[in-house]
Amino acid sequence: MKNKTLKVLALGGLLGPILFTVTTLICGAWRPDYSHLHNFISELGASDTSRYQLMNIMGFIPSGLFLCSFGFSMLIVTSKHLIPKIGATLIMMFGIGVTLAGVYSCDEGCPPSGSVEAAMHDSVSAMAFFSAIIGMIMLGFSFIKSTTFKRFSIYTLFSGVAAALFMMTMISTFESRVYTGLWQRLLLLTIFIWTSVIGLYIYKSHTSQK
């Protein structure tokens, strides 16, 4: 694959998080009753709520596609061994899950049970988070023996473990809904910073090879 195409794909790791964050902040600002500390991000895209289409069409769906393209760039640049390839594929699945979370919306308030569409949303969201966490941990271990990504091995492993802890803490607040939004944002922040760092590294390293 040409360097230019690979660079564009890798930048999805940065562009996806930026677009998702900006859209979340804009949609949240239009909802005076919304709390970034306690509410799920998905509530901004919940069916029939205020400006839910903006969050889904401008946030979840394109951001997920960007992240999927980043995962594809990882699939290209990682070694041919099984573990890094599975790890990169799981990162792609994370992007697919984010996209599908915008296709299938939760019900208003994102209750634990509801419509079939809401159940689909919950399933793809869980798949996305688990894929990202497992993918990062697998890539972290594979980076230890990688000449290209060795410097990121500890950071990647740490990010995967931190994301897992944030996810477990978020799940523990599902009933009380106290600081659920905070833990979800810390979970996403951990993943997003990692995709941004690695995406920029791939972009710059292939720029230097021109």
Side-chain angles (χ1 to χ4, degrees):
M1 178 175 287
K2 294 182 179 180
N3 279 352
K4 185 176 181 180
T5 302
L6 179 60
K7 286 162 54 181
V8 171
L9 292 172
L11 277 182
L14 174 66
L15 298 177
I18 290 175
L19 179 60
F20 190 88
T21 301
V22 170
T23 307
T24 298
L25 291 174
I26 291 174
C27 291
W30 276 331
R31 293 267 300 273
D33 58 334
Y34 184 82
S35 170
H36 288 287
L37 288 177
H38 304 296
N39 294 115
F40 289 115
I41 295 173
S42 294
E43 292 182 52
L44 295 172
S47 300
D48 298 325
T49 57
S50 175
R51 298 180 175 85
Y52 76 97
Q53 292 178 323
L54 176 63
M55 185 66 216
N56 292 329
I57 296 174
M58 295 301 297
F60 280 105
I61 295 174
S63 298
L65 292 175
F66 275 129
L67 290 163
C68 189
S69 78
F70 162 73
F72 186 63
S73 75
M74 289 293 298
L75 193 63
I76 295 169
V77 299
T78 52
S79 71
K80 296 180 180 180
H81 293 97
L82 183 61
I83 291 180
K85 291 304 182 187
I86 293 176
T89 301
L90 288 171
I91 299 302
M92 287 181 61
M93 289 181 64
F94 168 65
I96 293 172
V98 173
T99 299
L100 291 177
V103 175
Y104 302 104
S105 301
C106 69
D107 298 330
E108 185 172 359
C110 292
S113 60
S115 65
V116 173
E117 182 179 356
M120 289 291 294
H121 175 87
D122 292 343
S123 296
V124 297
S125 297
M127 179 270 287
F129 286 134
F130 278 116
S131 295
I133 291 169
I134 298 171
M136 285 193 293
I137 292 174
M138 292 183 74
L139 286 169
F141 279 114
S142 70
F143 285 173
I144 295 174
K145 297 182 179 180
S146 169
T147 55
T148 304
F149 295 101
K150 186 177 180 63
R151 72 185 71 177
F152 298 107
S153 59
I154 301 300
Y155 167 62
T156 301
L157 282 170
F158 176 81
S159 296
V161 172
L165 292 174
F166 286 137
M167 184 171 182
M168 288 188 291
T169 306
M170 178 186 71
I171 292 172
S172 72
T173 67
F174 279 179
E175 186 174 344
S176 66
R177 289 293 184 92
V178 176
Y179 295 120
T180 305
L182 173 63
W183 295 116
Q184 185 186 42
R185 282 156 179 78
L186 288 174
L187 165 59
L188 278 172
L189 180 64
T190 303
I191 298 171
F192 283 168
I193 291 176
W194 179 80
T195 63
S196 299
V197 169
I198 302 299
L200 281 173
Y201 175 72
I202 296 173
Y203 177 86
K204 291 180 178 179
S205 63
H206 281 77
T207 298
S208 64
Q209 294 173 13
K210 290 178 61 178

